[in-house]
Tab-separated table of all heavy atoms in Angstrom:
chain	number	residue	atom	x	y	z
F	435	ASN	N	10.330	-19.584	25.086
F	435	ASN	CA	11.331	-20.308	24.293
F	435	ASN	C	12.023	-19.347	23.332
F	435	ASN	O	11.681	-19.267	22.154
F	435	ASN	CB	10.683	-21.456	23.521
F	435	ASN	CG	11.681	-22.201	22.659
F	435	ASN	OD1	12.896	-22.097	22.875
F	435	ASN	ND2	11.205	-22.939	21.683
F	436	PRO	N	13.019	-18.591	23.815
F	436	PRO	CA	13.726	-17.639	22.948
F	436	PRO	C	14.394	-18.292	21.739
F	436	PRO	O	14.689	-17.611	20.753
F	436	PRO	CB	14.785	-17.036	23.885
F	436	PRO	CG	14.230	-17.225	25.260
F	436	PRO	CD	13.500	-18.539	25.205
F	437	GLU	N	14.603	-19.620	21.817
F	437	GLU	CA	15.268	-20.322	20.720
F	437	GLU	C	14.511	-20.147	19.406
F	437	GLU	O	15.104	-20.220	18.329
F	437	GLU	CB	15.373	-21.810	21.057
F	437	GLU	CG	16.494	-22.549	20.339
F	437	GLU	CD	17.867	-22.091	20.785
F	437	GLU	OE1	18.157	-22.143	21.989
F	437	GLU	OE2	18.644	-21.672	19.880
F	438	ARG	N	13.212	-19.888	19.476
F	438	ARG	CA	12.426	-19.728	18.242
F	438	ARG	C	12.923	-18.524	17.423
F	438	ARG	O	12.678	-18.439	16.225
F	438	ARG	CB	10.939	-19.609	18.573
F	438	ARG	CG	10.510	-18.319	19.172
F	438	ARG	CD	9.004	-18.258	19.441
F	438	ARG	NE	8.630	-18.883	20.714
F	438	ARG	CZ	7.909	-19.990	20.811
F	438	ARG	NH1	7.500	-20.614	19.730
F	438	ARG	NH2	7.603	-20.475	22.003
F	439	PHE	N	13.610	-17.577	18.070
F	439	PHE	CA	14.125	-16.403	17.361
F	439	PHE	C	15.617	-16.522	17.045
F	439	PHE	O	16.267	-15.516	16.752
F	439	PHE	CB	13.871	-15.138	18.196
F	439	PHE	CG	12.429	-14.732	18.272
F	439	PHE	CD1	11.680	-14.986	19.414
F	439	PHE	CD2	11.814	-14.107	17.194
F	439	PHE	CE1	10.347	-14.619	19.487
F	439	PHE	CE2	10.472	-13.734	17.259
F	439	PHE	CZ	9.737	-13.993	18.406
F	440	SER	N	16.153	-17.737	17.095
F	440	SER	CA	17.596	-17.926	16.894
F	440	SER	C	18.055	-17.518	15.501
F	440	SER	O	19.220	-17.173	15.293
F	440	SER	CB	17.982	-19.386	17.173
F	440	SER	OG	17.293	-20.253	16.286
F	441	GLU	N	17.151	-17.562	14.535
F	441	GLU	CA	17.507	-17.163	13.162
F	441	GLU	C	16.787	-15.888	12.754
F	441	GLU	O	16.622	-15.608	11.561
F	441	GLU	CB	17.179	-18.302	12.192
F	441	GLU	CG	17.981	-19.583	12.450
F	441	GLU	CD	17.664	-20.664	11.437
F	441	GLU	OE1	17.919	-20.449	10.236
F	441	GLU	OE2	17.148	-21.723	11.860
F	442	GLY	N	16.361	-15.120	13.740
F	442	GLY	CA	15.742	-13.830	13.464
F	442	GLY	C	14.227	-13.879	13.422
F	442	GLY	O	13.615	-14.951	13.414
F	443	VAL	N	13.614	-12.700	13.389
F	443	VAL	CA	12.155	-12.572	13.417
F	443	VAL	C	11.526	-13.106	12.142
F	443	VAL	O	10.516	-13.814	12.177
F	443	VAL	CB	11.752	-11.097	13.635
F	443	VAL	CG1	10.248	-10.917	13.445
F	443	VAL	CG2	12.162	-10.624	15.026
F	444	SER	N	12.115	-12.794	11.002
F	444	SER	CA	11.528	-13.204	9.720
F	444	SER	C	11.416	-14.724	9.617
F	444	SER	O	10.394	-15.252	9.170
F	444	SER	CB	12.362	-12.655	8.565
F	444	SER	OG	11.791	-13.019	7.327
F	445	LYS	N	12.466	-15.419	10.051
F	445	LYS	CA	12.445	-16.890	10.015
F	445	LYS	C	11.420	-17.435	11.001
F	445	LYS	O	10.676	-18.383	10.703
F	445	LYS	CB	13.834	-17.426	10.367
F	445	LYS	CG	14.002	-18.923	10.195
F	445	LYS	CD	14.189	-19.307	8.747
F	445	LYS	CE	14.574	-20.767	8.625
F	445	LYS	NZ	14.748	-21.173	7.209
F	446	ALA	N	11.332	-16.822	12.186
F	446	ALA	CA	10.396	-17.296	13.216
F	446	ALA	C	8.948	-17.121	12.784
F	446	ALA	O	8.083	-17.934	13.125
F	446	ALA	CB	10.640	-16.550	14.528
F	447	THR	N	8.664	-16.075	12.017
F	447	THR	CA	7.286	-15.786	11.595
F	447	THR	C	6.968	-16.340	10.208
F	447	THR	O	5.854	-16.153	9.718
F	447	THR	CB	7.037	-14.264	11.578
F	447	THR	OG1	7.959	-13.654	10.674
F	447	THR	CG2	7.210	-13.659	12.963
F	448	LYS	N	7.965	-16.990	9.594
F	448	LYS	CA	7.804	-17.524	8.222
F	448	LYS	C	7.392	-16.417	7.245
F	448	LYS	O	6.629	-16.651	6.302
F	448	LYS	CB	6.788	-18.663	8.205
F	448	LYS	CG	7.125	-19.832	9.124
F	448	LYS	CD	6.064	-20.909	9.062
F	448	LYS	CE	6.412	-22.081	9.962
F	448	LYS	NZ	6.409	-21.734	11.392
F	449	GLY	N	7.876	-15.203	7.512
F	449	GLY	CA	7.603	-14.083	6.625
F	449	GLY	C	6.228	-13.473	6.772
F	449	GLY	O	5.883	-12.529	6.045
F	450	GLN	N	5.414	-13.991	7.693
F	450	GLN	CA	4.073	-13.445	7.891
F	450	GLN	C	4.111	-12.265	8.870
F	450	GLN	O	5.038	-12.124	9.661
F	450	GLN	CB	3.137	-14.522	8.442
F	450	GLN	CG	2.889	-15.674	7.478
F	450	GLN	CD	1.932	-16.686	8.067
F	450	GLN	OE1	2.091	-17.148	9.192
F	450	GLN	NE2	0.909	-17.039	7.297
F	451	LEU	N	3.101	-11.425	8.814
F	451	LEU	CA	3.016	-10.281	9.727
F	451	LEU	C	2.268	-10.720	10.989
F	451	LEU	O	1.115	-10.358	11.227
F	451	LEU	CB	2.294	-9.117	9.034
F	451	LEU	CG	2.682	-7.704	9.499
F	451	LEU	CD1	4.169	-7.472	9.333
F	451	LEU	CD2	1.903	-6.658	8.719
F	452	THR	N	2.972	-11.520	11.805
F	452	THR	CA	2.341	-12.091	13.003
F	452	THR	C	3.075	-11.705	14.291
F	452	THR	O	2.639	-12.081	15.376
F	452	THR	CB	2.295	-13.629	12.908
F	452	THR	OG1	3.602	-14.123	12.586
F	452	THR	CG2	1.318	-14.086	11.840
F	453	PHE	N	4.162	-10.971	14.173
F	453	PHE	CA	4.913	-10.492	15.334
F	453	PHE	C	4.832	-8.969	15.315
F	453	PHE	O	5.474	-8.309	14.510
F	453	PHE	CB	6.370	-10.967	15.238
F	453	PHE	CG	7.228	-10.575	16.414
F	453	PHE	CD1	6.956	-11.063	17.687
F	453	PHE	CD2	8.317	-9.738	16.239
F	453	PHE	CE1	7.759	-10.712	18.766
F	453	PHE	CE2	9.125	-9.388	17.305
F	453	PHE	CZ	8.848	-9.873	18.574
F	454	LEU	N	3.987	-8.409	16.199
F	454	LEU	CA	3.604	-7.003	16.078
F	454	LEU	C	3.774	-6.190	17.365
F	454	LEU	O	2.916	-5.377	17.714
F	454	LEU	CB	2.141	-6.912	15.626
F	454	LEU	CG	1.797	-7.607	14.304
F	454	LEU	CD1	0.287	-7.729	14.151
F	454	LEU	CD2	2.397	-6.847	13.137
F	455	PRO	N	4.865	-6.376	18.117
F	455	PRO	CA	5.003	-5.604	19.354
F	455	PRO	C	5.132	-4.105	19.108
F	455	PRO	O	4.809	-3.294	19.984
F	455	PRO	CB	6.284	-6.170	19.978
F	455	PRO	CG	7.056	-6.711	18.819
F	455	PRO	CD	6.024	-7.248	17.887
F	456	PHE	N	5.614	-3.726	17.924
F	456	PHE	CA	5.745	-2.311	17.579
F	456	PHE	C	4.847	-1.938	16.405
F	456	PHE	O	5.093	-0.970	15.696
F	456	PHE	CB	7.201	-1.984	17.237
F	456	PHE	CG	8.149	-2.166	18.393
F	456	PHE	CD1	8.888	-3.331	18.537
F	456	PHE	CD2	8.297	-1.171	19.344
F	456	PHE	CE1	9.756	-3.499	19.594
F	456	PHE	CE2	9.163	-1.328	20.412
F	456	PHE	CZ	9.896	-2.487	20.549
F	457	GLY	N	3.784	-2.717	16.183
F	457	GLY	CA	2.933	-2.497	15.029
F	457	GLY	C	3.575	-3.100	13.794
F	457	GLY	O	4.455	-3.968	13.887
F	458	GLY	N	3.160	-2.650	12.626
F	458	GLY	CA	3.712	-3.184	11.390
F	458	GLY	C	3.347	-2.323	10.205
F	458	GLY	O	2.539	-1.390	10.306
F	459	GLY	N	3.942	-2.623	9.067
F	459	GLY	CA	3.672	-1.848	7.871
F	459	GLY	C	4.375	-0.502	7.916
F	459	GLY	O	5.277	-0.274	8.733
F	460	PRO	N	3.973	0.447	7.064
F	460	PRO	CA	4.618	1.764	7.017
F	460	PRO	C	4.581	2.512	8.346
F	460	PRO	O	5.435	3.344	8.621
F	460	PRO	CB	3.814	2.516	5.946
F	460	PRO	CG	3.186	1.458	5.106
F	460	PRO	CD	2.906	0.315	6.049
F	461	ARG	N	3.575	2.200	9.196
F	461	ARG	CA	3.429	2.928	10.456
F	461	ARG	C	4.066	2.205	11.626
F	461	ARG	O	3.751	2.489	12.786
F	461	ARG	CB	1.945	3.188	10.734
F	461	ARG	CG	1.275	4.040	9.682
F	461	ARG	CD	-0.015	4.628	10.176
F	461	ARG	NE	0.225	5.616	11.220
F	461	ARG	CZ	-0.439	6.755	11.353
F	461	ARG	NH1	-1.369	7.079	10.480
F	461	ARG	NH2	-0.175	7.589	12.329
F	462	ILE	N	4.995	1.294	11.352
F	462	ILE	CA	5.688	0.621	12.443
F	462	ILE	C	6.368	1.668	13.320
F	462	ILE	O	6.831	2.710	12.828
F	462	ILE	CB	6.707	-0.399	11.888
F	462	ILE	CG1	7.223	-1.304	13.022
F	462	ILE	CG2	7.857	0.303	11.167
F	462	ILE	CD1	7.999	-2.506	12.527
F	463	CYS	N	6.437	1.421	14.613
F	463	CYS	CA	6.927	2.405	15.570
F	463	CYS	C	8.353	2.847	15.236
F	463	CYS	O	9.250	2.018	15.072
F	463	CYS	CB	6.883	1.817	16.983
F	463	CYS	SG	7.516	2.940	18.250
F	464	LEU	N	8.561	4.161	15.160
F	464	LEU	CA	9.888	4.700	14.874
F	464	LEU	C	10.888	4.390	15.981
F	464	LEU	O	12.084	4.308	15.732
F	464	LEU	CB	9.796	6.228	14.704
F	464	LEU	CG	9.431	6.768	13.326
F	464	LEU	CD1	9.176	8.264	13.414
F	464	LEU	CD2	10.539	6.484	12.330
F	465	GLY	N	10.382	4.206	17.202
F	465	GLY	CA	11.270	4.014	18.342
F	465	GLY	C	11.719	2.581	18.565
F	465	GLY	O	12.305	2.267	19.607
F	466	LEU	N	11.480	1.698	17.606
F	466	LEU	CA	11.827	0.278	17.760
F	466	LEU	C	13.308	0.110	18.108
F	466	LEU	O	13.659	-0.526	19.108
F	466	LEU	CB	11.484	-0.464	16.465
F	466	LEU	CG	11.596	-1.989	16.412
F	466	LEU	CD1	10.741	-2.524	15.266
F	466	LEU	CD2	13.019	-2.474	16.241
F	467	ASN	N	14.194	0.645	17.286
F	467	ASN	CA	15.633	0.492	17.528
F	467	ASN	C	16.074	1.191	18.804
F	467	ASN	O	16.958	0.715	19.515
F	467	ASN	CB	16.434	1.034	16.335
F	467	ASN	CG	16.266	0.173	15.094
F	467	ASN	OD1	16.089	-1.037	15.183
F	467	ASN	ND2	16.323	0.798	13.924
F	468	PHE	N	15.450	2.338	19.087
F	468	PHE	CA	15.734	3.088	20.311
F	468	PHE	C	15.456	2.213	21.535
F	468	PHE	O	16.300	2.065	22.435
F	468	PHE	CB	14.870	4.344	20.335
F	468	PHE	CG	15.068	5.241	21.520
F	468	PHE	CD1	15.858	6.361	21.431
F	468	PHE	CD2	14.423	4.978	22.725
F	468	PHE	CE1	16.024	7.208	22.522
F	468	PHE	CE2	14.583	5.809	23.823
F	468	PHE	CZ	15.388	6.935	23.723
F	469	ALA	N	14.250	1.611	21.579
F	469	ALA	CA	13.853	0.791	22.724
F	469	ALA	C	14.733	-0.444	22.864
F	469	ALA	O	15.152	-0.812	23.973
F	469	ALA	CB	12.388	0.384	22.579
F	470	MET	N	15.026	-1.105	21.752
F	470	MET	CA	15.830	-2.329	21.799
F	470	MET	C	17.259	-2.030	22.238
F	470	MET	O	17.855	-2.781	23.028
F	470	MET	CB	15.832	-3.019	20.439
F	470	MET	CG	14.499	-3.627	20.052
F	470	MET	SD	14.001	-5.019	21.107
F	470	MET	CE	15.022	-6.333	20.435
F	471	LEU	N	17.835	-0.944	21.762
F	471	LEU	CA	19.203	-0.590	22.135
F	471	LEU	C	19.307	-0.274	23.623
F	471	LEU	O	20.209	-0.751	24.322
F	471	LEU	CB	19.662	0.616	21.300
F	471	LEU	CG	21.140	0.998	21.382
F	471	LEU	CD1	22.023	-0.126	20.875
F	471	LEU	CD2	21.401	2.276	20.588
F	472	GLU	N	18.351	0.514	24.117
F	472	GLU	CA	18.355	0.845	25.547
F	472	GLU	C	18.143	-0.408	26.393
F	472	GLU	O	18.827	-0.610	27.408
F	472	GLU	CB	17.263	1.866	25.851
F	472	GLU	CG	17.243	2.301	27.311
F	472	GLU	CD	16.114	3.245	27.645
F	472	GLU	OE1	15.456	3.768	26.720
F	472	GLU	OE2	15.873	3.451	28.855
F	473	ALA	N	17.214	-1.274	25.984
F	473	ALA	CA	16.933	-2.493	26.758
F	473	ALA	C	18.157	-3.400	26.810
F	473	ALA	O	18.479	-3.972	27.859
F	473	ALA	CB	15.748	-3.228	26.143
Side-chain angles (χ1 to χ4, degrees):
N435 178 18
E437 204 67 56
R438 73 178 84 247
F439 289 103
S440 61
E441 297 182 62
V443 171
S444 181
K445 187 78 171 179
T447 59
K448 302 179 179 66
Q450 295 181 310
L451 209 57
T452 51
F453 182 64
L454 302 166
F456 296 97
R461 298 198 68 141
I462 192 168
C463 178
L464 274 171
L466 187 159
N467 291 328
F468 181 99
M470 290 294 282
L471 190 62
E472 182 184 348

